Amino acid sequence: MKSAILVFPGINRERDMARALRLASGHEPAMVWHAETSLPKGTDLVVVPGGFSYGDYLRCGAIAARAPVMDAVRAFAAGGGLVLGVCNGFQILCEAGLLPGVLMRNARLKFICHDVHLRVERSDTPFTRGYNAGQVIRVPIAHGEGNYEADEETLKRLEGEGRVLYRYCSADGAVDERSNINGAAQSIAGIVNESGNVLGMMPHPENHVEDIMGCTDGCGLFAGLVAHLERAA
Amino acid sequence: MKARVTVTLKSGILDPQGKAIEGALKSLGVDGVASVRQGKVFDIEIAGSDKAKAEAALKDAADKLLANTVIENYRVEVLS
């Protein structure tokens, strides 16, 4: 799996992401600067990492979404290429129009930084095939603007088309108000686009991939991507 | 020319920051505050003197970057 990680000024999770991708695939990811106008040849996966691109000025992800490299990412996604956006990366993909909706201020206004539980809604996608449907995983979150919102029509479509892949839940998998940490519509933690090749999620699976991190529940996402691409090759 | 773009949240969109400000104003004892919605104001200097052209450019700026039209409305004014 050849992956490319986008780097914007203010991004700070690109090395965590590179480590997770290297562990899962055995290949060193390429770091792609925001001013580039193309992606490295043979890229299988584009990752938009977390952080605070452009200091979150204007709106989270708004300025990064208009960077030159995003045209290349749009073309890559339109051709069916896999794109993963985590945290600020999710916000950037929404602002870029690659995913519907918007990440608003957390309902209780606080920056939240701790582990959460996620329910994997289905396992038949490139982004979830390393898990079982209904499986509960534990991964960290660290964000102030992760409250996913979209108009009613969009939410209906997301649910109807099975495009919600990850949802905030309790340790035993119950999706309820208490476990909906940031107030997101329908406890949404991660969604895919219409053709299923672009995933945006607020939690950080790349930070739970080694025993030393205290948990390895994030491995399934990366292992699943590697398996998907090996099968496709 | 001086111009101003005002960006406001669409009605129905939850505004937790506005709510917090509303609460603070009430606790300060400011009279008669029923509700607060927070928005953004951009003061922009436009080169040239063609008002119609300036308005078109400002609309373009708002659509492309200044507002996220999924959740926000905007108003464009050329002031002088």
Side-chain angles (χ1 to χ4, degrees):
Chain A
M1 179 170 77
K2 279 186 74 176
S3 32
I5 301 176
L6 305 188
V7 183
F8 301 93
I11 284 287
N12 61 9
R13 299 297 190 108
E14 76 280 11
R15 280 175 294 176
D16 306 33
M17 186 56 81
R19 190 176 170 90
L21 290 166
R22 194 162 55 232
L23 277 170
S25 71
H27 293 283
E28 187 66 35
M31 293 290 181
V32 180
W33 188 235
H34 64 100
E36 298 288 339
T37 51
S38 63
L39 297 164
K41 258 207 164 70
T43 296
D44 296 309
L45 169 74
V46 170
V47 181
V48 195
F52 301 86
S53 58
Y54 298 91
D56 281 347
Y57 292 172
L58 188 61
R59 298 178 303 275
C60 299
I63 297 177
R66 277 88 182 163
V69 75
M70 291 307 292
D71 285 334
V73 174
R74 251 181 233 109
F76 177 78
L82 294 174
V83 179
L84 166 66
V86 168
C87 200
N88 193 207
F90 186 10
Q91 296 163 341
I92 292 168
L93 292 177
C94 286
E95 279 283 346
L98 283 162
L99 289 171
V102 61
L103 283 316
M104 307 270 297
R105 196 73 185 269
N106 292 345
R108 285 179 283 276
L109 290 172
K110 286 206 172 92
F111 188 98
I112 313 168
C113 181
H114 57 68
D115 287 3
V116 296
H117 291 95
L118 300 179
R119 192 172 76 191
V120 183
E121 296 293 88
R122 51 190 288 192
S123 63
D124 55 344
T125 81
F127 301 104
T128 53
R129 55 175 287 161
Y131 301 115
N132 295 315
Q135 188 177 338
V136 176
I137 60 170
R138 182 163 62 90
V139 283
I141 57 162
H143 63 247
E145 274 99 352
N147 174 358
Y148 183 81
E149 298 296 337
D151 60 65
E152 219 167 294
E153 185 67 21
T154 305
L155 289 174
K156 236 200 232 155
R157 281 193 60 195
L158 288 173
E159 296 289 355
E161 294 167 6
R163 287 162 56 190
V164 179
L165 301 194
Y166 295 99
R167 236 185 270 272
Y168 302 109
C169 69
S170 65
D172 53 10
V175 172
D176 51 24
E177 211 180 310
R178 200 155 161 262
S179 56
N180 187 12
I181 194 84
N182 52 29
Q186 284 148 226
S187 294
I188 289 173
I191 54 161
V192 283
N193 65 340
E194 208 173 339
S195 35
N197 61 317
V198 178
L199 169 75
M201 65 190 300
M202 286 314 296
H204 289 277
E206 76 277 18
N207 288 138
H208 269 180
V209 293
E210 290 175 275
D211 286 329
I212 197 171
M213 297 169 174
C215 183
T216 56
D217 283 3
C219 289
L221 193 152
F222 300 100
L225 286 168
V226 171
H228 170 80
L229 287 163
E230 269 169 10
R231 208 182 57 162
Chain B
M1 284 181 291
K2 288 189 192 307
R4 176 166 286 181
V5 178
T6 310
V7 176
T8 50
L9 277 178
K10 286 183 177 172
S11 60
I13 301 283
L14 189 72
D15 177 16
Q17 295 177 91
K19 275 266 172 260
I21 295 163
E22 181 186 315
L25 289 175
K26 284 175 179 163
S27 70
L28 281 169
V30 178
D31 263 351
V33 176
S35 78
V36 177
R37 306 276 287 167
Q38 186 178 301
K40 297 186 187 103
V41 167
F42 302 88
D43 284 328
I44 299 175
E45 283 275 341
I46 297 275
S49 57
D50 185 334
K51 203 173 162 187
K53 217 169 125 188
E55 273 177 5
L58 291 164
K59 276 197 176 123
D60 194 33
D63 282 324
K64 279 187 177 153
L65 181 65
L66 301 181
N68 179 338
T69 53
V70 174
I71 47 162
E72 293 167 329
N73 293 319
Y74 64 82
R75 194 175 70 236
V76 159
E77 299 158 276
V78 177
L79 302 168
S80 63

